[in-house]
Structures are given as structure tokens and as C-alpha cells.
Amino acid sequence: MEQPGMDSDADSVAGLDPELAATMGFSGFGKKARTFDFNAMFEQTRRTAVERSRKILEEREKEAAQKEKDIGSRRDSVNLTTAPSHTIARIPSGGSDSSESEASSDEELIGPPLPPQGPVEESEDDELIGPPLPPGYKGSEEEEEEEEEEDNMQEEDEHPVKKIPDSHEITLHHGTKTVSALGLDPSGARLITGGYDYDVRFWDFAGMDASLQAFRSLQPCECHQIRSLQYSSTGDVILVVSGNSQAKVLDRDGFPVMECVKGDQYIVDMANTKGHTAMLNSGCWHPKIKEEFLTCSNDGTVRTWDVNNDKKHKGVFKPRSAQGKRVIPTSCTYNRDGKLIAAGCQDGSIQIWDRNMNVHTKFHCRQAHAAGTDTSCLTFSYDGTALASRGGDDTLKIWDVRKFKTPLNSVAGLPSFFPMTDCCFSPDDKLLVTGTSVKKGGGHGKLIFFERETFKKVYEIDVTDASVVRCLWHPKLNQIMVGTGNGLAKVYYDPIKSQRGAKLCVVKTKRKERQAETLTQDYIITPHALPMFREPRQRSTRKQLEKDRLDPMKSHKPEPPVAGPGRGGRVGTHGGTLSSYIVKNIALDKTDDSNPREAILRHAKEAEENPYWVAPAYSKTQPTAVFAEVESDEDETDDKPEWKKRKI
């Protein structure tokens, strides 16, 4: 059928003016725009998608039916070999005789198959029944063996000794004297060491190379030994406790942030002073409050401080003996939640206060260690129920805070010669670690590991031929830091069990020293200078070095210092002034000028042949030189009077 309006459109197009088309720039001017029916397009697309999905489903159904047919034929063949022929009844699937052979494969059994009679030999076809086994499938016995192996591996992993990271070590050289303080920030990126040489050194694991050099060294407390170093809970400031009475707080780069005030030593009641009046022994940060820290001193007090207030302490705790007398605390610490404050005292007691109640102790044990010895370390376990103490009586004890009268376990025979010998718990709270001290030439200092529950020695590490003073087991890095009595700080780690830390710096090669940087001059950038004053841009240090090599002034070797009297116009090492040079040369002058006339006439022949100074001046007035005649010494002595000839 012809659509109405088509002829009219054609006539209108045909009747267009060609000049109008040329003017508009295209020949289709005036044609009707094509219209689209979106509903029809969506319907056609939907039908196409339905047809495609139907075809895919039919193909999948055919494949599934074919698989079932194959499985059924295999079952028929197996049943024919195992059951008698007269017990099987079949229903033909085809009606014609010509299709009997083809239909025999499609015949199905009526009812369940009969059990086999007599011994049946296994055939290779039995293995093909059902889908193939998945790859990696193993029998029940092999699965049990694998489970046993996994259990054994888990038991080995759960054994605390297997978790000790001691397969590798690096040595950091702090100095020649005892490393008495160690500190690691919470992330484990930086290590600080302090010693009896008054130095505090900063080590950055990420910035160090294999040369293992500290990036900063300073003496924050002048000529006082460093006794304790610790990063705050956020790692932004460092507490420095030294042998003086004022603790200091530094930032991460070693610049001072705060210094505690010194108390009035003439006041009897230490609670009325603003700060400590005697040497500090120990200190630590609050585990939860980042601005609060704790110090103990020989003035018999334990004080809490606030970083934002350096004018006065925050709180005072005064340990007392059984008779109510003052005792000196040698170590102090917070528990894991910061609610308790513990102090080990010189009378052998361990006293624990509630942080908010500083009058009476909450727990105390009067005879924790031998009286008169310094309890060098107190540390709480990570679960907060146990307290370990390292005594100056060569013992290590562990206490239950809830039953604080007797220790849970203790071990003796651990020599300690330093008032800051450490002990610490492993990150899983199953081991307790401490170091031993040795005399010079008396063997090796050891790091000994004890099982927490039984206090059985399970492992030890021979560190060095000096005492082991400090030990620190970082929970995130799983690395052990050790400070020794001969100025070394060792880091033990395992490439698999440990994280970051020492693993970052051992893989970096040593940086080559660039001598070119010291030889080349500083380049001043002047972008707006005139071309005649603008310095040429340095392309590279290597090219500049080669250029300086060709310059005789820049490549000239410096003259060595002059030994003895100066020569060649250079002043000797005796002094830089002219007067000192002349005085020195008067005594060191070795020339023999006893007869000055002969010394002058020695150059007469040369002066006569090549006159330069005196002869040209007298060339007209005295062409021939006339020298004064001097009588000899014998004639002079004869003419002398008798009294002059006599010797007095």
C-alpha cells in the first residue's frame, strides 16, 4: 500500500529551488526529519534477548540429557556383567525390528539390580563409574596424616621458644661506655640509646643504610649519666632521666620541650617542694595519658608530672618503711591501664599506690627482695595480672598483684652489677626475659628466657663479652633490643617472624661519599641578574669536578705545615707573628758569620762582573772600588796598653 503523504513530500523535495540549496550549503534542505519509535525498538530488543536465552537453555538441557544417557549406558553394561540374564526384563524402546540394535543401548532395567552372586572380579570399568575425582583428592588415611602434620606444626608454632627472633642480629656502636638506656617509639621506626658517656643517640631504621650510623647525637643533660629513655604513648616526645634532679622532655628530633623544676633542698617535708631535690633513678610515661609521666628520686619521693606545666609536680607519693621512715625508690612504673603506680625501694619492698590516692599504699610487700639492694626494674605483664621484679640480690621474681604477699615464682643466680638491669615480657606474655652481668674478662653476658608459668629456663643468647644491661622486646616489630656494658646496642630479629625495624636498613648498601660536593663551589641562583653578572649553571658535579681539575689554582695541592724554622717566605709552626719568628730564629740561626768582611767579599766577584746595586751609583765618582784597610788582630793587641792585655 502506498502511504499517504509520501508523494507530496517527494514533490516538495523535487520542487526545491537549486539556488536555495546552493545558498544553504547542502542539497537536503527542506527534507523531513526521520522519526524513531523507541517502544518498538525496546520490544524488538527484548524479543531477541528472550530467543537467545531460550536457545542457550535448550543447549544446556541437551548436554545434561546426553550426560545422563552416557551414565545410564555405563550402568547397564555393569549390571549385565554382574546379574544373570534370566532375571533381567527389558522393554524395547523402538517398535521396528530394524531399530532393535540401536534401541538396545537405550533399554532400562525394571526395579533395582540384584546383588552379585559369587566373587566378582574388579574390572577397569569400575574405576570409571561416576564423575572423575577432583585434582588433589586424597584418601582418608592421607587426610589423617596431613591433619596430624598440621597439628604438629601448630604445636611447634605455639611453643614460645619458636617465636624468639634470634636468627639474625645487627650491632649499633653507641660508644665505649655502658649503654644504660634504650627506647623505641610505638611504631618501631626510631631507636634511642643513652649511656654513661652522657650521649643520647638517635637511630632511624628507615633512614639508615648498612653502615648503621646514628643520624643525631647530643648531650641533653651535660655531664650526667643517662639512666632512662622512653617514648610517650604517641611517640612525639621523649622522657630523659639522668643523674641530676631534673628530668627533661625532648621532641622526636632531640630539641628540648620541657624541663622539670628543681625543688628546695632545705625543706624537710618533700611534699611541700615543687620538684626533686636529689638524683633521679628512673622514670616512665603514662600508658594512656600522653602528657603525664612519672619519676622517682633519691629524695625519697615518686612524683607525677604534666608536660604542659614545668613549674610544679602533679602529685607526690612517699614510700615508707615498716617503721614509717623514709626509703629511697630505685625503680617505678605504671601498670598497663595506668591506674596503679608501683615502686621498688632500697629496703627490699615493693609498694603500689592507686594513682588517685597518694596517702596509703593499695598493695605492698615488705620483703620482696633483700634489704639494702637496688630493685633495678619493675614491669607489668600485658594482661595486667602479673608483676615482674629484677632485684639487686641477683634474683628475678614474678608476683600476682591480687596475692601480693608471696611471689608466684622466683629464680636466683642472675648477677646484676647495674642499678638499671632490665626485665621484660614477650609480646604473647608467655616468656620473661632478663640479662646477666659479668666482670671484665669473666665470660659472656647472656640474655636468658624463662617460661612465665613454670619459670623454667627455656633459652639463652650469648650476647657479648660484657654485661647485658638493658633489654627491650617490641611487640609490633617482634625484635629484641639489647644494651651492653661495652657500648653496644644489638638488635635481634628474624626475617620471617619480624616486621620492619632492622630489616629495613640491612638491605640498603652503603652510600658512596661524594667528594665532588666538597670541591665544587656553592652555586648562587640569580634569575634576574644581568647576563654579564649571571653565573653559568652547573650541569653536574662530575663535569664541574673535571673542569676544576684543569684549573691550576683549584687543583693545587695545599702546602703541608712547615716543621722547624720557616723557609721560602713561610712562617714555621712556632708562631704566626713576626716578633716570635725573629726571636725563634735568633736562637736557631746556624750560619757562621763570625767574620762579616769575608762574608761580604764572598760575593765581590759576582758583584764586579754583574754590578747591580752599589757599583752603578759610584761609577762616576769612584770607578775603582777602594776598601778600607784594617789591621790584623795581632797588631791591634800589640798596640793595646798593658792593663788591657791582662786578664781579669
Side-chain angles (χ1 to χ4, degrees):
M1 293 179 62
E2 295 182 359
Q3 296 180 358
M6 291 293 293
D7 296 338
S8 62
D9 293 341
D11 294 341
S12 63
V13 173
L16 291 175
D17 189 1
E19 295 181 359
L20 181 61
T23 303
M24 299 302 295
F26 56 93
S27 60
F29 181 77
K31 287 185 179 180
K32 193 174 182 179
R34 186 179 178 184
T35 59
F36 297 93
D37 189 358
F38 286 102
N39 293 329
M41 294 172 65
F42 289 150
E43 183 65 23
Q44 183 66 25
T45 305
R46 188 184 67 79
R47 291 177 181 176
T48 305
V50 170
E51 290 178 0
R52 288 182 179 177
S53 60
R54 188 188 302 118
K55 289 180 180 179
I56 293 172
L57 290 173
E58 290 177 355
E59 291 177 356
R60 290 180 179 176
E61 289 177 357
K62 288 181 181 179
E63 291 178 358
Q66 185 66 28
K67 288 182 180 179
E68 290 179 358
K69 187 184 290 185
D70 295 341
I71 293 172
S73 62
R74 290 181 181 178
R75 288 177 179 172
D76 291 344
S77 61
V78 172
N79 292 332
L80 287 173
T81 56
T82 57
S85 60
H86 66 275
T87 60
I88 300 173
R90 293 184 178 86
I91 299 175
S93 60
S96 61
D97 298 335
S98 62
S99 62
E100 287 181 356
S101 60
E102 296 177 358
S104 61
S105 62
D106 297 333
E107 289 175 352
E108 296 180 358
L109 294 175
I110 298 175
L114 296 175
Q117 297 178 359
V120 179
E121 296 180 358
E122 295 182 356
S123 61
E124 295 179 357
D125 296 338
D126 294 341
E127 299 177 359
L128 301 175
I129 297 174
L133 296 175
Y137 175 78
K138 297 178 180 179
S140 59
E141 295 180 358
E142 296 179 354
E143 289 181 356
E144 292 177 358
E145 292 178 359
E146 284 190 352
E147 290 178 358
E148 291 179 358
E149 291 179 359
E150 290 179 357
D151 294 340
N152 294 334
M153 291 292 290
Q154 290 179 358
E155 289 178 0
E156 291 181 357
D157 293 340
E158 291 177 358
H159 198 279
V161 178
K162 301 294 183 181
K163 297 182 180 180
I164 298 175
D166 67 327
S167 60
H168 294 69
E169 68 177 61
I170 62 172
T171 302
L172 307 176
H173 295 273
H174 173 86
T176 57
K177 296 186 178 180
T178 301
V179 177
S180 57
L182 286 176
L184 256 175
D185 66 342
S187 63
R190 286 188 177 183
L191 172 70
I192 48 175
T193 58
Y196 279 6
D197 55 358
Y198 324 132
D199 287 342
V200 173
R201 294 183 182 269
F202 292 74
W203 315 81
D204 189 356
F205 290 120
M208 279 194 303
D209 55 10
S211 61
L212 304 177
Q213 297 295 323
F215 74 90
R216 181 164 290 126
S217 176
L218 50 93
Q219 293 184 355
C221 302
E222 297 177 350
C223 56
H224 294 282
Q225 297 175 350
I226 307 299
R227 302 183 69 86
S228 177
L229 293 171
Q230 189 180 15
Y231 277 92
S232 65
S233 58
T234 56
D236 55 348
V237 286
I238 306 165
L239 174 63
V240 181
V241 177
S242 63
N244 62 354
S245 60
Q246 296 172 273
K248 286 189 176 183
V249 178
L250 310 178
D251 63 3
R252 284 180 62 86
D253 296 324
F255 297 101
V257 175
M258 174 254 191
E259 183 178 12
C260 297
V261 67
K262 186 176 181 180
D264 190 350
Q265 57 186 349
Y266 297 105
I267 296 178
V268 178
D269 188 1
M270 288 292 103
N272 295 327
T273 61
K274 297 180 180 180
H276 289 294
T277 60
M279 181 185 72
L280 298 175
N281 290 321
S282 180
C284 66
W285 286 98
H286 193 283
K288 303 294 183 182
I289 305 173
K290 64 178 183 179
E291 294 90 3
E292 183 179 324
F293 62 92
L294 181 72
T295 57
C296 64
S297 169
N298 278 356
D299 61 4
T301 61
V302 178
R303 300 175 190 261
T304 57
W305 302 82
D306 192 338
V307 176
N308 301 319
N309 183 16
D310 59 350
K311 301 299 183 183
K312 188 179 179 181
H313 58 253
K314 190 175 181 180
V316 182
F317 301 85
K318 296 187 288 185
R320 290 287 183 260
S321 64
Q323 293 80 21
K325 296 182 180 180
R326 184 180 69 178
V327 293
I328 296 175
T330 57
S331 61
C332 60
T333 186
Y334 286 99
N335 68 336
R336 294 295 173 177
D337 58 3
K339 295 181 180 179
L340 300 178
I341 293 176
C345 304
Q346 275 189 346
D347 63 345
S349 65
I350 298 177
Q351 305 183 27
I352 301 177
W353 296 270
D354 190 325
R355 175 176 165 270
N356 298 320
M357 298 176 63
N358 57 0
V359 179
H360 300 290
T361 58
K362 189 173 184 179
F363 309 101
H364 66 271
C365 181
R366 294 295 177 189
Q367 297 178 352
H369 291 279
T373 60
D374 293 344
T375 302
S376 57
C377 180
L378 293 176
T379 181
F380 282 88
S381 61
Y382 287 94
D383 57 12
T385 60
L387 173 67
S389 62
R390 182 72 162 93
D393 54 356
D394 301 343
T395 61
L396 176 66
K397 298 182 180 182
I398 187 169
W399 310 79
D400 189 343
V401 179
R402 298 161 295 186
K403 300 177 182 178
F404 205 48
K405 297 301 179 183
T406 57
L408 297 177
N409 285 299
S410 65
V411 60
L414 303 174
S416 174
F417 302 155
F418 295 87
M420 65 281 298
T421 302
D422 237 340
C423 65
C424 64
F425 284 92
S426 62
D428 58 359
D429 258 353
K430 294 182 179 180
L431 296 176
L432 190 58
V433 190
T434 189
T436 60
S437 301
V438 293
K439 294 183 179 179
K440 190 173 182 179
H444 284 73
K446 297 180 180 180
L447 195 65
I448 305 178
F449 297 79
F450 297 95
E451 193 172 356
R452 174 183 168 181
E453 299 298 332
T454 62
F455 247 51
K456 177 184 177 183
K457 185 172 77 171
V458 294
Y459 198 70
E460 66 178 24
I461 300 175
D462 287 341
V463 180
T464 183
D465 57 350
S467 302
V468 175
V469 182
R470 289 285 189 178
C471 60
L472 180 65
W473 196 335
H474 198 273
K476 287 186 178 179
L477 301 183
N478 194 24
Q479 299 178 13
I480 302 174
M481 286 69 183
V482 180
T484 65
N486 55 357
L488 303 180
K490 290 198 172 186
V491 182
Y492 292 91
Y493 69 97
D494 189 283
I496 300 174
K497 303 170 187 175
S498 301
Q499 305 293 330
R500 299 175 63 83
K503 293 170 59 179
L504 299 178
C505 57
V506 295
V507 297
K508 295 181 181 179
T509 57
K510 295 183 180 179
R511 297 188 185 96
K512 294 182 179 179
E513 296 181 358
R514 292 187 178 181
Q515 298 180 356
E517 294 181 357
T518 60
L519 294 176
T520 56
Q521 297 178 353
D522 294 335
Y523 175 60
I524 302 174
I525 301 174
T526 54
H528 302 293
L530 296 174
M532 60 184 301
F533 299 110
R534 191 176 300 162
E535 295 184 10
R537 182 181 177 184
Q538 294 182 352
R539 298 296 178 184
S540 65
T541 55
R542 184 178 60 83
K543 291 183 179 180
Q544 185 67 24
L545 178 61
E546 293 175 356
K547 189 176 179 180
D548 292 344
R549 261 315 158 201
L550 301 176
D551 191 349
M553 295 298 293
K554 292 183 179 180
S555 61
H556 178 66
K557 179 183 176 182
E559 295 290 341
V562 180
R567 63 177 184 274
R570 299 181 62 203
V571 180
T573 57
H574 51 267
T577 62
L578 179 61
S579 58
S580 63
Y581 175 71
I582 294 173
V583 171
K584 197 78 175 178
N585 279 349
I586 288 175
L588 297 176
D589 192 5
K590 301 293 193 253
T591 57
D592 186 12
D593 290 334
S594 58
N595 193 344
R597 180 182 178 85
E598 292 181 0
I600 294 173
L601 292 178
R602 190 183 306 151
H603 307 282
K605 184 178 180 181
E606 183 180 356
E608 185 178 356
E609 294 176 356
N610 187 17
Y612 186 77
W613 296 108
V614 180
Y618 294 95
S619 59
K620 294 182 179 180
T621 58
Q622 194 180 36
T624 304
V626 178
F627 297 99
E629 295 181 359
V630 180
E631 297 179 356
S632 62
D633 295 339
E634 295 179 358
D635 296 338
E636 291 178 357
T637 54
D638 294 340
D639 296 339
K640 287 181 181 179
E642 189 68 25
W643 61 274
K644 289 186 178 180
K645 294 181 182 179
R646 295 176 184 174
K647 293 182 180 180
I648 299 174

